[in-house]
Amino acid sequence: MDAWSRFLDTFFKWELIQRYFPAILDGMAVTIEIAAAVVITGILLGLVLAIVRTFRILPISALIVIFVDMFRALPPLVLVLLVYFGLPNIGINLPSFAVLWIVLSCVLAAFAEEIFWAGILSIPKGQWEAARSTGIGFLNTLAYIVLPQAVRLTVAPITNRTLAITKNTALGMVIGVSEILSQATTGQSFAGNATPLTMGAIAYVILFIPVVVLGRWLETRFRWRRA
Amino acid sequence: MNDDRPPILEVRGLRKSFGHLEVLRGIDLAVLPQELVFIIGPSGSGKSTLLRCCNRLEEPTGGSIRIDGVDLMARSTDINAMRRRIGMVFQSFNLYPHMSALGNVALALRKVLGRKHAEADTLARAALARVGLAEKANAYPAELSGGQQQRVAIARALALGPKIMLFDEPTSALDPELVGSVLKVMRELKAGGMTMLVVSHEMRFARDAADRVIFIDHGVIVEEGTPEQIFSNPGEARTKAFIAEIAR
Amino acid sequence: MEALLQQFFDFAIMARALPLVLTGLGQTLVLCLVVIPLGLAGGLCVALFSLARSRAVRWTAAAMIDFFRAIPPLVLLIFVYAGLPFAGIRLSPLAAVAIAFLLNNSSYYGEIYRAGIESVGRGQWDAARSTGLKPHQALIYVVLPQAIRNVLPDLISNTVEVVKLTSLASVVALPELLYSADMARSITFNTSPIVLAAAIYLVMLWPIVRLVSRLERRIAS
């Protein structure tokens, strides 16, 4: 067998592609479900935290900053293992996918809060003053004047950060969530062939390339002003 | 006037298109040694493009450009070496913000001419002195006024000892009270015998210092002559209209 | 509450695990010293390719960048470590991590460099070239210093990500910080060693995370 056929046989063996296709599809479904859940709860939580921070109640703001800093500084895998191994021993038994979802949501929330906060801060004070001086209340100013402008600036960085964090669903493999990588590595050890791994990689690329391209397009459309 | 010596800059049939937009439609131009040629024209006429073709910052689509007899477009021409002989001054100065005035002027001396550090510094200081900014050698662009920055930019181009200097609207980005300091330097250069090609709106300067004025519109030379001819008694209708417009 | 403290903050167990964990930290630092310079250098190359004159080169670079940004780093790592042996390429955990991270990080650093280079106005390039500087000289002395200054917060924050990424090496049994802590956990049946590792990560990265936040806010205003 020449080099090309050996390459194909190692990474693209047709029988294996057919055999493991359903498993990889199942994995994709799990990945998509968890990723979608993470995106929704993560961004919402991040937005809520940023809004709470605008009230400028010092002790609460400090707590938010601590939470945000911790989840930005710690590697997601460390958090996942902490929660996965630690909670059962104090009586809280969560299924693996729940652990993954909670950890990744908190991580996304932390990054999202910082991005939203920077966006809110970049709205000139004059906007607040103009609105408040016409009698519009604090929350309404936030809702109708400040946030709409701030969110526009944050679309690109939020998309890119969301992409980076949802890719961490692959960590589910380490704690037994049957997402793509898990299916792929199981298949690879059963079949003794790298084809299931290739399939897994391609599955991820199919899922995430649209988001990458979207992020790239958004960056050019809404330039997040740097320097 | 050195009419018997060959021109320093010789442009023949210069054409330049950006995609479908033809900006220069056949320009013929010669600048003799020590001449100051002044180019005027409405915006979009191609004046800046013409200048930028002369040191190949823009690639001409057709025609030829010769500096000191050397064909700029020839494959064998080392454009980086040729650019030493052509000094360029930009409307927006384009000083390097992360270097001092001295650093700005000395960079090319060190990297292009290969001068040693101390030698480059001495030459750079001399160039800064020529534009009256010797004491600002260690200042950074952000600390200098617009007029000072432009003079440093002139020094940066001068330091390499060019045969001809190209000025692309050198005072258009300056506050009115700073324009004079730059024009003074340009007058001194002229008096010292530098060959200059200037695109600008400074009519009084043209009247005083220019040897020839060229009016360009829509990518062609409409008229050329002495400052008196062009400003007081233009032949072409378009020239008349333009002069009337800017005299207002 | 008592159970919480005992499970996560057992200081006696942390003390016992400390030597192992510190050895792991050493490995992590070695890993960082390998992976970060590789990524910074690789990223610069990628950025230059993505700004090349030739459209073919630009599009190839963009495709590669997008591919490596779409693939989770863990998948890439497992592919390199467990998949390549099937093609006869057997790599040590360190080599596998280095290669996988090089591919992943170059893409992210590359995008940052590219944004930085594009943020330096065309006029700077024109001025440099018009004094006769060659393209690589203009790049090194005029454009890059300004580009890097403009995107320094992004470069730093991406480097923080890279340090966090090294924890993935534990999955391929490289004895870095998390791996060592996890091993201590499995020996002691107690999660405190991982809390210890988390604390070490915090000490390393929290100050930088704070710094980056402040830098980002200053630039956005």
Side-chain angles (χ1 to χ4, degrees), chain C residues 176-194:
Chain C
E176 45 72 71
L177 180 53
L178 182 58
Y179 183 84
S180 312
D182 195 45
M183 188 173 301
R185 173 204 59 81
S186 62
I187 296 175
T188 60
F189 296 103
N190 186 292
T191 323
S192 300
I194 302 191

Side-chain angles (χ1 to χ4, degrees), chain A residues 15-35:
Chain A
E15 308 87 71
L16 293 178
I17 293 182
Q18 290 178 303
R19 196 192 310 170
Y20 287 102
F21 194 71
I24 297 286
L25 271 182
D26 286 342
M28 281 173 85
V30 173
T31 299
I32 293 176
E33 279 161 19
I34 300 183

Side-chain angles (χ1 to χ4, degrees), chain C residues 90-107:
Chain C
R90 204 165 294 271
L91 295 164
S92 72
L94 182 61
V97 170
I99 291 179
F101 281 18
L102 170 67
L103 292 170
N104 184 63
N105 293 336
S106 302
S107 304

Side-chain angles (χ1 to χ4, degrees), chain B residues 52 55 57-58 78-81 83-84 86-88 90 92-99 107-108 111-112 156-157 160, chain C residues 53 120-135 137-147 149:
Chain B
R52 289 166 67 92
N55 70 348
L57 277 183
E58 303 287 355
D78 179 1
I79 188 62
N80 295 311
R83 281 177 176 154
R84 284 187 236 151
I86 314 166
M88 180 135 193
F90 300 86
S92 44
F93 335 131
N94 291 336
L95 288 185
Y96 313 134
H98 57 300
M99 294 180 181
L107 180 64
K111 303 299 168 189
V112 176
R156 180 175 61 180
L160 294 158
Chain C
R53 272 248 173 123
V120 177
R122 181 75 202 276
Q124 290 293 304
W125 176 259
D126 281 351
R129 293 304 311 277
S130 72
T131 55
L133 287 165
K134 302 207 183 77
Q137 292 173 319
L139 194 66
I140 296 175
Y141 297 106
V142 175
V143 175
L144 272 185
Q146 297 182 60
R149 204 166 296 200

